[in-house]
Amino acid sequence: MENKKFVVIIQCELVHKKCSGFACTDSFYNRDEMFKSYKENTRYISFTCGGCCGKLVSGKLSQKKKKILKKTDYKKDEVIVHLASCMTSDNYHSDRCPHIDYIKDIIVKRGYDFLEGTYISKNAEIKREKGIYKTY
């Protein structure tokens, strides 16, 4: 992650209606868990998938690419996408996104690296260990 200067966090549209995204944002700023290897000057932006089936991710990534590359000196390979934990895991908000593979394909097609996960809830981890939440 040494060469990544810009993080894009994609959240579930439906979950975003009831979740502020604070835990993911806080995790980024504190460089916790999934964000611990990013340099201090790494920037981020977040947006939603646009709703099921996630097809709007393509257009949103294209628009962000134009803005990021126009307004900064970042190269495309210096940008990484994080799929928020609300999309990638069974958790308090919902189960894993049923369209996750389609969304990953869009990200790859647009030429971005991606990682699954943002904030890791200790309570959700306990529930995964107990088999209450599924593990993927």
Side-chain angles (χ1 to χ4, degrees):
M1 298 307 143
E2 291 291 318
N3 72 325
K4 301 302 181 187
K5 296 180 180 178
F6 206 95
V7 172
V8 175
I9 299 172
I10 301 177
Q11 297 173 288
C12 170
E13 174 80 19
L14 297 175
V15 170
H16 189 65
K17 292 180 187 300
K18 61 183 174 181
C19 174
S20 66
F22 175 82
C24 293
T25 301
D26 193 54
S27 185
F28 174 81
Y29 281 119
N30 291 326
R31 297 301 191 264
D32 293 333
E33 306 291 337
M34 297 298 295
F35 302 109
K36 63 184 171 195
S37 62
Y38 295 110
K39 293 180 180 175
E40 190 61 36
N41 62 346
T42 303
R43 297 172 67 187
Y44 96 102
I45 191 167
S46 67
F47 57 83
T48 69
C49 65
C52 296
C53 65
K55 191 169 185 167
L56 287 176
V57 167
S58 182
K60 288 183 173 197
L61 283 175
S62 292
Q63 193 269 346
K64 296 297 182 227
K65 179 184 99 176
K66 289 176 187 172
K67 293 288 185 189
I68 290 169
L69 299 181
K70 183 178 180 183
K71 302 281 184 180
T72 71
D73 63 349
Y74 302 151
K75 309 289 184 275
K76 194 172 186 180
D77 65 341
E78 295 173 320
V79 177
I80 188 164
V81 175
H82 274 259
L83 294 170
S85 296
C86 61
M87 296 179 69
T88 64
S89 62
D90 190 5
N91 58 69
Y92 169 79
H93 297 295
S94 64
D95 197 355
R96 181 178 172 99
C97 172
H99 308 289
I100 195 78
D101 290 330
Y102 175 63
I103 293 169
K104 286 189 226 176
D105 288 345
I106 290 171
I107 295 167
V108 170
K109 187 176 183 180
R110 289 282 172 209
Y112 291 98
D113 294 328
F114 72 89
L115 290 173
E116 290 190 30
T118 47
Y119 170 71
I120 301 173
S121 162
K122 290 177 179 58
N123 190 38
E125 284 295 298
I126 291 168
K127 289 182 178 183
R128 284 185 197 98
E129 289 171 12
K130 291 181 178 180
I132 297 168
Y133 289 163
K134 297 177 200 167
T135 302
Y136 294 92

